[in-house]
Amino acid sequence: MSEAATPVRDPIQETIAPPGTLWSHMKSDPQYAPEHLALDAVRRLGPEAAQWAERMRLDRPGVSPDALAALAIRRFTTLARISGAVSGATGLPGAVLDLGVLAWTQSRMVLHIAAAYGEDPAATERATDLLVLQRVHKAAEGARLALGVAAGRERASRMFTDVADRPLTGVMLKLGFRLGQMAGVHAARRMFAKMVPGASVVLGTWVNSAATKDLAARARAHFSPA
């Protein structure tokens, strides 16, 4: 009797929040939170995106880059749509958590789109692409400079940290603003919605979807040879 084949797990099916170490870096340095997230996304999610694209091309011989990109966009838009409804946290912490998950999910999508069009999603330049496409920086040169600063501050934070001496509310407000900017979502509205029962589900679902679709269109235009 032959053994049943073990199904291949598709990493896109899983909603994964930013890792704890990334949250620590962003809280200790909220001004450069988008840069820390972009650097960590390329390191952690780039290889995942490359493996996904390779496996999909093997499973679907002749599949076009546009078709692969469309598949990734559909899946990640769905994940983004539900990400604002699954968090049980309320108030300011809940809003910041939602924004971080959304920015992380959108970064995964962009890296998968890059892989669909044959770009290396694990290349360091993808962090620059993320920041420009997510409109944290207007031009690649500014994004590269900010990434270099964030990388240096990340190394320094392993030896020194001042987060314990700073008001937590101020840190979270700054972090929420910067993550909202990266995710294409108005942070203040997301925080307000968290105060109103049920509003975060309705508003989060619509806003997350719209922001992610807009980002997907920019990413396709950026990576597509056409």
Side-chain angles (χ1 to χ4, degrees):
M1 182 181 297
S2 61
E3 296 183 359
T6 301
V8 178
R9 184 182 64 177
D10 185 346
I12 296 183
Q13 293 178 346
E14 301 177 2
T15 301
I16 302 176
T21 53
L22 173 57
W23 279 113
S24 296
H25 288 144
M26 293 193 297
K27 287 179 181 178
S28 65
D29 193 21
Q31 175 62 31
Y32 286 91
E35 287 78 11
H36 290 301
L37 192 148
L39 288 168
D40 214 54
V42 172
R43 284 194 296 260
R44 295 174 182 272
L45 304 178
E48 169 198 274
Q51 293 170 6
W52 168 81
E54 181 180 2
R55 185 171 66 245
M56 294 302 292
R57 292 188 180 101
L58 289 175
D59 292 344
R60 306 182 182 192
V63 65
S64 69
D66 285 337
L68 278 185
L71 177 61
I73 291 168
R74 284 195 299 271
R75 301 290 286 280
F76 282 115
T77 300
T78 299
L79 290 181
R81 188 162 53 243
I82 66 175
S83 66
V86 298
S87 172
T90 59
L92 177 59
V96 175
L97 175 61
D98 285 355
L99 292 169
V101 172
L102 177 58
W104 188 251
T105 299
Q106 291 178 343
S107 296
R108 290 180 74 199
M109 179 187 71
V110 171
L111 294 175
H112 279 70
I113 293 173
Y117 286 107
E119 298 288 345
D120 181 3
T124 56
E125 187 65 14
R126 296 294 82 77
T128 300
D129 291 334
L130 285 174
L131 294 177
V132 174
L133 289 170
Q134 291 173 295
R135 293 178 173 172
V136 177
H137 295 280
K138 293 182 179 179
E141 183 178 357
R144 293 190 192 99
L145 179 61
L147 286 166
V149 173
R153 292 162 74 95
E154 183 177 308
R155 288 190 293 270
S157 71
R158 298 186 184 117
M159 296 181 289
F160 307 102
T161 180
D162 63 349
V163 68
D165 299 326
R166 300 164 63 186
L168 182 59
T169 300
V171 170
M172 295 298 281
L173 283 171
K174 184 65 174 180
L175 181 56
F177 173 79
R178 295 293 284 159
L179 290 176
Q181 180 186 16
M182 186 179 195
V185 174
H186 199 294
R189 293 175 184 171
R190 180 57 55 87
M191 293 173 192
F192 171 77
K194 277 292 182 180
M195 309 293 181
V196 182
S200 61
V201 176
V202 177
L203 180 62
T205 297
W206 180 80
V207 171
N208 287 10
S209 177
T212 304
K213 287 179 180 178
D214 287 345
L215 174 60
R218 296 194 297 272
R220 291 190 75 162
H222 178 74
F223 293 115
S224 173

